[in-house]
């Protein structure tokens, strides 16, 4: 008997029914063929994703915070994206936060039943102090996760803006709490119901775009250079110095000195050198320009030269 599953992510994939008989190369080819469809699914939601970028930018500019919330793989992807924002963009650890059903332990080991509790989602929202002015994005591959529904309902009740990232159409009971629905229909998985595959890939692409886009909009980039990164290791210290060297046309020793005088800020160091001002003046200019270097420095970023970026850093 055939059982029809309404959730797209739980349906069987007719293209992979014999994958258990495939060779290693055959498995790779089947999975790669399925993965090729993910980018198109994400592109189908380009306007909705752009709306989420704009919503996140507005949230940051008014002093609000971005929250992700999900269960299982969806929750882990939210925590991952949130945890990468501080070193990448030089922001505080509270600006982008990830909530996962079952708490921190669920990052490493499944917490059975946690995703089935909308009350747990509401409690996590309250525990994080979500308030009006924040932006809460629920992540649910199936679109039906009760924990995520509870998060969105409580966040909306508190006056926060909300969105959902799903790979199957969410029910009306969830959508009534959502301002921005992002639904990337990635289709049945290679292995039925294994949403860490295509759905997980699509989710990561969407979250990457939302935070990267919003951070660019609030001035975290000059051209395509990350100028607000936090130099927390040797590689990032080197990258900071190389950015200042390239943008300002100075030797490494001078770049290092500029960064030191700027208080460790690549962005401030660039403005100091380009305008010939001290740190206080550079910081004031950036603040008046909403943090965007292009509104302060008359020069365009340096052109990309042949072989640039080939060192793998």
């Amino acid at each position: 008997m055939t059982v029809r599953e309404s959730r797209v992510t739980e349906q069987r994939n007719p293209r992979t029914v014999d994958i258990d008989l495939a060779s290693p190369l055959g498995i790779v080819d089947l999975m790669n063929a399925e993965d090729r469809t993910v980018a198109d699914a994400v592109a189908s939601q380009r306007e909705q994703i752009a709306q989420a970028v704009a919503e996140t930018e507005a949230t940051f500019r008014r002093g609000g915070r971005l929250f992700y919330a999900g269960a299982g793989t969806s929750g882990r992807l939210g925590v991952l994206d949130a945890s990468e924002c501080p070193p990448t963009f030089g922001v505080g650890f509270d600006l982008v936060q990830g909530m996962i059903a079952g708490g921190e332990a669920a990052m490493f080991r499944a917490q059975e039943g946690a995703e089935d509790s909308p009350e747990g989602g509401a409690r996590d929202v309250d525990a994080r102090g979500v308030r009006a002015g924040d932006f809460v994005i629920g992540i649910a591959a199936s679109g039906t996760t009760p924990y995520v529904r509870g998060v969105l309902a409580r966040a909306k009740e508190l006056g926060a803006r909300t969105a959902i990232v799903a790979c199957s159409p969410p029910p009306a009971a969830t959508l009534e709490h959502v301002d921005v629905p992002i639904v990337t229909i990635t289709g049945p998985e290679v292995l039925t119901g294994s949403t860490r595959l295509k759905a997980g890939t699509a989710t990561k692409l969407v979250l990457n775009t939302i935070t990267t886009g919003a951070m660019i909009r609030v001035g975290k980039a000059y051209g395509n250079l990350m100028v607000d990164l936090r130099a927390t290791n040797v590689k990032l210290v080197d990258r900071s110095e190389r950015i200042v060297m390239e943008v300002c046309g100075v030797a490494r020793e001078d770049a290092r000195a500029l960064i030191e005088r700027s208080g460790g800020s690549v962005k401030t160091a660039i403005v100091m050198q380009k305008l010939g001002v001290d740190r206080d003046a550079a910081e004031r200019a950036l603040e008046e320009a909403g943090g965007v270097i292009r509104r302060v420095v008359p020069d365009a970023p340096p052109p990309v030269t042949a072989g640039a970026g080939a060192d793998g850093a």
Side-chain angles (χ1 to χ4, degrees), residues 7-25:
R7 293 169 295 179
V8 178
T9 53
E10 295 295 321
Q11 294 173 7
R12 293 185 65 201
N13 189 328
R15 295 175 296 278
T16 62
V17 291
D18 292 326
I19 197 169
D20 59 328
L21 302 177
S23 67
L25 182 58

Side-chain angles (χ1 to χ4, degrees), residues 220-238:
K220 301 295 184 179
Y222 181 44
N224 61 0
L225 295 168
M226 296 186 296
V227 291
D228 256 346
L229 78 169
R230 180 172 292 168
T232 54
N233 58 40
V234 172
K235 182 182 77 171
L236 294 178
V237 168
D238 173 67

Side-chain angles (χ1 to χ4, degrees), residues 42 45 48-53 137 163-167 170 175 178 180-184 206 210:
V42 172
Q45 298 294 292
Q48 294 89 336
I49 298 169
Q51 187 179 350
V53 170
I137 301 179
I164 190 169
V165 176
C167 296
L175 289 176
V178 172
V180 185
I182 301 171
V183 185
T184 60
V206 172
I210 291 172

